[in-house]
Amino acid sequence: MIIRALSALIYMGLLSMLSAHIFAADIFSDSFESTDMSATNSSGFKWAANNRTSVVTQDINDGPVAVYNNKPIYNIVSLTMPDGTPRNWTAKTGNYSLRFRYPANKTWTEQRFDLGKPLRELWIRYWLRVPTNFTYGAGSRRNNKFFAIWMDGYESKGDGSTVWLGMEPYNNTGATLGFTYSKGKYRGSEGYKQHTPFITTADRGRWMQIVLHLKVESSDGANDGIIQTYRRWAGESKFTKLHEMLNVPLRISGSGPDGFKKGYILGWANAPYQNDTEWLLDDFAISDSSPLAGLLGNFPKPPTNLSVQ
């Protein structure tokens, strides 16, 4: 009986340690409950200036309110979009989220960030709400940036690599999601790869969680870098893998920084939206190891037939 009791205690201790490790893997997180862009960590993470982005909330009395755009504000906005679509800025968790506003026929909205300390491997995750009036835009160059991250310089300005996620049209009004990268040495990007059906107009207003895993090559020319992306819709119990490439030439510049350093969320729309369009982002986090098991609650099962006497 004593052995069974000790086994139970050991199991609970290991489970506690494992749970702590899963959540301790986060090296940065921001749910915007600070109502500003001041979140940081010991590595010096920082958000850049708002570029058509703002911290917003759905106030119980005033409705949709923007509370921060490069300074504290309190801007009450209309309950409807210009095209008549109802506007609701309810966050995924808590009370606040980050809004990305694309005015009709405008091409540039993004939120840049600096990791502070460069990382050779990282997992980035966040919740993103599909615009309530989402319809893919028109344009001769149809790709719209979704996410980008780089080392010493962006695309051909860098000796190190850049990685992008980008959307392209799907069935006219929807979008696929693909990825591309540069090989460094001041060269441009590859063509988008692994186009995957991503959003349709039926997804308007839905929250999805994106997870992006990146790892640089082990040495210059090894071509063993990693790009993986996952997505689950709110309410789903598992992630769907959207992309995977395990032999990517993700090069680190010989003069540094030693890994990925800066990036942006969303970005340039080569196919601008015909109507004002708003994305919401919440619970942005960066990990140095996989968060997938912890996100899904996949903890070890307890031993059976244990008793303490």
Side-chain angles (χ1 to χ4, degrees), residues 115-136:
L115 297 178
K117 177 183 177 180
L119 295 172
R120 286 175 166 255
E121 182 174 15
L122 71 164
W123 298 73
I124 296 173
R125 70 182 189 272
Y126 52 91
W127 285 95
L128 191 68
R129 195 191 73 179
V130 179
T132 54
N133 60 346
F134 177 83
T135 298
Y136 204 82

Side-chain angles (χ1 to χ4, degrees), residues 79-92:
L79 291 170
T80 57
M81 304 279 286
D83 64 357
T85 303
R87 176 184 276 124
N88 187 310
W89 289 347
T90 300
K92 179 66 176 66

Side-chain angles (χ1 to χ4, degrees), residues 22-283:
I22 286 172
F23 293 103
D26 281 359
I27 57 179
F28 174 79
S29 64
D30 192 3
S31 61
F32 306 100
E33 297 305 296
S34 64
T35 72
D36 57 25
M37 307 295 290
S38 63
T40 187
N41 63 2
S42 60
S43 297
F45 178 98
K46 61 181 178 181
W47 294 110
N50 296 110
N51 180 6
R52 289 194 176 128
T53 64
S54 53
V55 179
V56 299
T57 189
Q58 186 74 17
D59 186 81
I60 191 170
N61 296 313
D62 295 332
V65 180
V67 299
Y68 189 87
N69 180 274
N70 293 314
K71 62 182 179 181
I73 56 177
Y74 197 86
N75 292 346
I76 301 171
V77 301
S78 172
L79 291 170
T80 57
M81 304 279 286
D83 64 357
T85 303
R87 176 184 276 124
N88 187 310
W89 289 347
T90 300
K92 179 66 176 66
T93 60
N95 297 311
Y96 299 90
S97 62
L98 186 66
R99 175 187 64 149
F100 292 71
R101 176 175 175 263
Y102 285 88
N105 300 310
K106 300 296 183 180
T107 53
W108 194 27
T109 298
E110 68 181 30
Q111 184 59 57
R112 295 202 171 203
F113 59 86
D114 187 324
L115 297 178
K117 177 183 177 180
L119 295 172
R120 286 175 166 255
E121 182 174 15
L122 71 164
W123 298 73
I124 296 173
R125 70 182 189 272
Y126 52 91
W127 285 95
L128 191 68
R129 195 191 73 179
V130 179
T132 54
N133 60 346
F134 177 83
T135 298
Y136 204 82
S140 57
R141 297 179 59 200
R142 300 295 301 277
N143 74 84
N144 286 353
K145 300 298 188 296
F146 189 79
F147 192 93
I149 191 165
W150 60 94
M151 302 180 193
D152 56 325
Y154 182 73
E155 195 177 10
S156 59
K157 295 181 180 179
D159 188 33
S161 292
T162 300
V163 174
W164 296 263
L165 296 176
M167 297 183 293
E168 293 195 339
Y170 173 67
N171 286 346
N172 295 319
T173 57
T176 63
L177 186 71
F179 71 87
T180 186
Y181 57 88
S182 67
K183 296 181 180 179
K185 296 184 179 180
Y186 306 99
R187 290 176 289 186
S189 66
E190 301 280 304
Y192 277 100
K193 308 175 189 303
Q194 299 184 20
H195 299 274
T196 304
F198 187 54
I199 298 173
T200 71
T201 54
D203 298 318
R204 290 171 174 171
R206 298 178 72 189
W207 284 93
M208 58 179 164
Q209 190 173 31
I210 300 294
V211 177
L212 171 63
H213 175 214
L214 300 173
K215 186 176 182 180
V216 303
E217 58 186 1
S218 57
S219 60
D220 194 9
N223 295 341
D224 57 358
I226 295 174
I227 298 175
Q228 294 171 317
T229 61
Y230 304 81
R231 191 265 301 276
R232 66 167 171 170
W233 293 104
E236 289 186 335
S237 60
K238 64 179 181 179
F239 283 89
T240 298
K241 184 184 290 183
L242 302 179
H243 311 116
E244 181 174 73
M245 190 171 179
L246 307 178
N247 60 343
V248 195
L250 296 181
R251 180 177 190 273
I252 292 179
S253 170
S255 58
D258 189 31
F260 292 105
K261 181 71 163 53
K262 297 182 179 181
Y264 62 73
I265 306 166
L266 292 179
W268 194 271
N270 287 296
Y273 302 102
Q274 295 182 359
N275 297 302
D276 285 12
T277 297
E278 299 176 341
W279 300 77
L280 294 184
L281 179 143
D282 208 352
D283 293 341

